[in-house]
Amino acid sequence: MNRASDRAVYAATIFVLLALVVTCFTYDATATMWLDELHGYYVLQLGSISQISQALIDGVDNSAPIYLVICHLLKPLLGSGAFDLRFPSAAGFCIACLCIYIFLTRRLPRTYGLLGVLVLSGIAMYSIEGRPYGLAIGCVSAALVAWQSAAEQRARALSIAALLVFLSLAISTHYWSVFVLPAIAIAEAVRWWNSRRLDLPVAIAITLPVLVLIPDLPFIRSVQRFMPFFWSKPFFPLDSRFMFAGLLGNLPMLTALVVPLIVLYLKPWHTRRLPGPRSTLLDYEWALVTGIAVTPYALLILALFTTRIFQDRYVVWSAFGITAFLVTLFARYVPNRAIAVVACLIVGLLTADHWKSAFANRNELRIGEPMRRVLTGVPAAPEPIVIATHQPYMELAYYETPQIRPRLVLLDNIELEKFYTASDTGSLLMSAVRKWTQLNIQDYCGFLAQHRRFLLAADAEDWLPWQLSASGYKLTAIRPGWHPLLFLVEAPAQPKTPDWIRAAKIKLTCSD
């Protein structure tokens, strides 16, 4: 590639990175928060770090404390709203995109570095939200660039210090980040084997970060009560679309755009190799990115036989390794820059389409939007409005109109939730939220004893309408045919206990 073309790619990369920064922070400043973010938001409203820590131990949110502590410290600058909650993750995500470019262009031409930035930008679904995932991938990415620099003797002392600091921050930000250490250890073993000597400073830098888990043991132990009946179980196959939603979210567009890539690849000149020594990763770097790329699947298998808790977004940081692996493999077997340029255009268009959709829907509630529409136009009345499950309730309790919001109620009964859903996650979370916030979360039987008439908003699969109906309550659909359903609920003279609840030996004080 001549210098003019090289400068053009460099300029395009700067433009993409700046556009990504502007886009991410604009979105974060304007988009509604969703369920998981709201748990962090309510913790962030507490007045001190000690209160934040205690609320996390009680289970208001299952995040590690360091993320919310950082947000707490930023409150004087950014306020206490959604932007403050999201800023660290958005910054971490943008750092990750810069780091993938640096990591790849040390071995490959700049076109492939730009391709890596565009591919990695597809993980933005979770990485710019008010959750620790974006900060975690930013820290992991910075640590991997520092590790690469240390191996190449680039500002070695500073690189080793950065490796230690960023790995420690990544692990303390999200505990699942600790599983990046085995991949780095394997890569180091390959490097040591090739050089026939142990790099002790690097070995220390990738070992010490584990110690940051010690002061967080109370928070880690507090999560154990969620494990027996956790809502999300590990299952095969692992759906990688969560990482690359920007690329795989529009399959028709992807199919149409990939045709030119195939045509270019079939041209006879596609076999030309990349000039110069920078054509692929070094052996130990291949070991690193391969190890990180397979880590989500290894953890999924491990979870099947141990904790039985797994959520794909816990390992968003592995997208750095997956991106580096795929782009380097692409450069190795499709080593034509014209094809690489077309690939950049394809990925860029897919990413732009993804962001277009995200901005179009940024004012909608991720979970509670259908229920918000059902509640639109509900006449002013004294009857409370019961929301059947905690997921839409949390969003509606924050974003509903001032006329509707005070009427919203969530009923909590851990035994009923466990019986109907085989999970007690929602009830455990809501009992802690009830303790630390002013949200209207009430005991199931206590509420029914005080209210003989109320409205109920529920999806067809929610257990609460079935439980009430079987207990003798009269449910009248106010808007038949709508989804979700809105019922007027009226109590019987004497509520009864459903046979299946009696058989499960669940005792309810509000029925016979």
Side-chain angles (χ1 to χ4, degrees), residues 159-385:
S159 297
I160 292 174
L163 174 63
L164 173 62
V165 170
F166 284 118
L167 282 179
S168 300
L169 184 56
I171 294 170
S172 60
T173 297
H174 196 274
Y175 302 135
W176 283 65
S177 301
V178 73
F179 293 108
V180 75
L181 296 182
I184 301 177
I186 291 171
E188 272 297 288
V190 172
R191 192 166 74 89
W192 299 342
W193 176 265
N194 290 341
S195 65
R196 295 297 191 270
R197 67 183 181 86
L198 173 67
D199 192 336
L200 186 59
V202 171
I204 294 173
I206 64 176
T207 303
L208 289 181
V210 179
L211 298 179
V212 302
L213 294 175
I214 295 176
D216 276 8
L217 285 177
F219 301 95
I220 296 173
R221 292 194 190 100
S222 71
V223 179
Q224 291 179 348
R225 63 180 176 272
F226 290 87
M227 293 172 62
F229 298 96
F230 192 66
W231 73 275
S232 177
K233 302 297 182 183
F235 62 91
F236 278 104
L238 180 63
D239 188 354
S240 297
R241 286 178 297 175
F242 84 96
M243 289 187 183
F244 301 104
L247 308 183
L248 301 178
N250 191 334
L251 291 178
M253 186 176 180
L254 176 62
T255 303
L257 291 174
V258 117
V259 172
L261 196 64
I262 296 173
V263 171
L264 284 172
Y265 177 71
L266 293 177
K267 289 285 187 180
W269 40 258
H270 84 275
T271 55
R272 285 189 302 177
R273 293 290 170 184
L274 296 172
R278 298 190 308 164
S279 59
T280 189
L281 299 179
L282 301 178
D283 289 348
Y284 58 84
E285 293 168 338
W286 269 115
L288 174 73
V289 299
T290 303
I292 295 176
V294 303
T295 295
Y297 301 92
L299 292 178
L300 176 59
I301 295 172
L302 182 64
L304 284 169
F305 298 100
T306 54
T307 63
R308 300 197 61 80
I309 293 177
F310 186 81
Q311 263 290 295
D312 44 19
R313 55 182 176 267
Y314 296 167
V315 289
V316 161
W317 48 264
S318 66
F320 184 96
I322 295 173
T323 300
F325 179 85
L326 293 177
V327 171
T328 308
L329 207 63
F330 182 79
R332 183 171 182 176
Y333 292 102
V334 191
N336 183 274
R337 292 193 179 89
I339 298 178
V341 170
V342 173
C344 288
L345 292 174
I346 290 173
V347 177
L349 287 171
L350 289 168
T351 302
D353 181 70
H354 170 69
W355 278 110
K356 178 183 176 182
S357 299
F359 270 89
N361 300 321
R362 70 185 185 279
N363 293 322
E364 294 186 355
L365 304 183
R366 186 175 299 182
I367 299 173
E369 186 63 28
M371 205 162 283
R372 180 162 69 169
R373 292 171 182 166
V374 167
L375 295 177
T376 301
V378 170
E383 292 94 357
I385 303 172

Side-chain angles (χ1 to χ4, degrees), residues 17-73:
L17 289 171
L18 290 176
L20 200 58
V21 170
V22 172
T23 302
C24 288
F25 287 111
T26 302
Y27 179 85
D28 278 355
T30 58
T32 56
M33 293 182 287
W34 74 293
L35 169 68
D36 284 13
E37 290 180 296
L38 286 165
H39 281 278
Y41 169 81
Y42 285 116
V43 175
L44 189 58
Q45 304 314 302
L46 300 176
S48 66
I49 293 176
S50 61
Q51 287 181 309
I52 289 173
S53 299
Q54 189 57 53
L56 293 176
I57 290 175
D58 287 346
V60 179
D61 189 10
N62 289 329
S63 296
I66 188 65
Y67 185 84
L68 291 174
V69 168
I70 292 173
C71 294
H72 175 78
L73 296 176

Side-chain angles (χ1 to χ4, degrees), residues 392-423:
Y393 172 79
M394 288 290 289
E395 296 182 356
L396 292 168
Y398 186 81
Y399 285 107
E400 257 297 356
T401 63
Q403 293 74 29
I404 296 294
R405 194 184 309 137
R407 298 172 60 189
L408 299 179
V409 182
L410 177 70
L411 305 186
D412 178 41
N413 184 289
I414 192 169
E415 294 301 326
L416 288 177
E417 181 185 358
K418 193 186 302 182
F419 175 80
Y420 282 105
T421 68
S423 169

